């Protein structure tokens, strides 16, 4: 279940346009074809049927709850923060201290998906498991070391994390 009230507040996020060619923005990966179809009983995110507990098809829904959660984690920054807060409660994953001004950080940076073709995108980059809470100080440190390592050619994330 998404943590934010998605049905009302995310009307904009859920709007349905025609699928366009992806502009290559790795921060906003392209939505699947099923997103634009909206068949009742069929999930717009994973494309699979939505079943009731008794195994019949639920024709009133167009989203699995888990899929809506996953979808909003990518396309809604509010939901992203809500999910991270729910898991980490503002505690920095590096220094272990609570921080009011905590920041969301992708453990393996999304920039690694830059220039990747739509069919080759690695969706694990966009999941909650690849997100962590960092305090401002640790976030800055991580970002700086990423830049340094990148300059040396090979990025070694084990070292950073
Ligand atoms: Zn689904
Ligand atoms: Zn920290």
């Amino acid at each position: 279940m998404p943590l934010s009230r998605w049905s009302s507040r995310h009307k904009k996020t859920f709007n349905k346009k025609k699928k366009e060619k992806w502009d290559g923005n790795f921060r906003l990966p392209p939505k699947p074809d099923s997103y634009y179809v909206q068949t009742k009983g069929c999930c717009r995110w994973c494309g699979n049927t939505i079943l009731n507990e008794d195994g019949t098809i639920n024709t009133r829904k167009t989203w699995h709850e888990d899929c809506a959660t996953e979808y909003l984690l990518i396309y809604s920054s509010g939901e992203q923060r809500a999910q991270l807060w729910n898991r980490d409660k503002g505690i920095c994953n590096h220094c272990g201290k609570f921080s009011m001004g905590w920041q969301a950080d992708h453990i393996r940076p999304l920039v690694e998906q830059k220039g990747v073709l739509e069919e080759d995108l690695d969706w694990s980059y966009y999941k909650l498991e690849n997100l962590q809470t960092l305090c401002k100080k640790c976030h800055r440190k991580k970002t700086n070391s990423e830049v340094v390592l990148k300059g040396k050619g090979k990025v070694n994330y084990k070292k950073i994390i």
Side-chain angles (χ1 to χ4, degrees), residues 19-74:
K19 183 158 180 157
E20 287 165 5
K21 209 179 141 23
W22 183 43
D23 61 2
N25 179 356
F26 53 88
R27 299 200 178 274
L28 289 176
K31 291 157 191 163
D33 292 345
S34 52
Y35 177 86
Y36 300 93
V37 179
Q38 200 164 13
T39 320
K40 292 258 152 109
C42 194
C43 177
R44 289 176 66 185
W45 187 242
C46 69
N48 295 323
T49 21
I50 303 161
L51 298 176
N52 292 312
E53 273 175 27
D54 61 5
T56 54
I57 296 171
N58 186 330
T59 50
R60 286 179 313 163
K61 289 192 176 169
T62 51
W63 290 87
H64 289 116
E65 286 190 353
D66 287 352
C67 289
T69 304
E70 203 175 288
Y71 166 84
L72 285 172
L73 181 71
I74 301 171

Side-chain angles (χ1 to χ4, degrees), residues 92-97 134-139:
C92 174
N93 197 32
H94 279 195
C95 66
K97 284 186 200 133
L134 290 182
C135 70
K136 267 189 193 143
K137 216 170 128 195
C138 292
H139 198 198

Side-chain angles (χ1 to χ4, degrees), residues 108-160:
R108 289 173 300 148
L110 291 185
V111 71
E112 288 184 2
Q113 296 284 289
K114 197 176 173 178
V116 171
L117 291 173
E118 181 171 344
E119 55 268 32
D120 295 331
L121 272 177
D122 183 347
W123 287 91
S124 68
Y125 275 78
Y126 303 95
K127 303 230 158 131
L128 189 61
E129 294 82 70
N130 191 38
L131 275 163
Q132 64 180 351
T133 298
L134 290 182
C135 70
K136 267 189 193 143
K137 216 170 128 195
C138 292
H139 198 198
R140 203 179 313 125
K141 249 198 261 172
K142 179 176 181 255
T143 314
N144 287 345
S145 54
E146 275 166 12
V147 174
V148 172
L149 285 166
K150 226 197 214 154
K152 285 180 184 160
K154 183 122 178 71
V155 184
N156 184 349
Y157 293 106
K158 281 221 177 77
K159 237 182 190 165
I160 307 165

Side-chain angles (χ1 to χ4, degrees), residues 7-32:
S7 50
S8 52
R9 277 175 41 207
H10 294 290
K11 253 193 187 139
K12 263 207 173 129
T13 322
F14 280 98
N15 69 353
K16 197 174 68 141
K17 288 189 227 128
K18 259 179 75 181
K19 183 158 180 157
E20 287 165 5
K21 209 179 141 23
W22 183 43
D23 61 2
N25 179 356
F26 53 88
R27 299 200 178 274
L28 289 176
K31 291 157 191 163

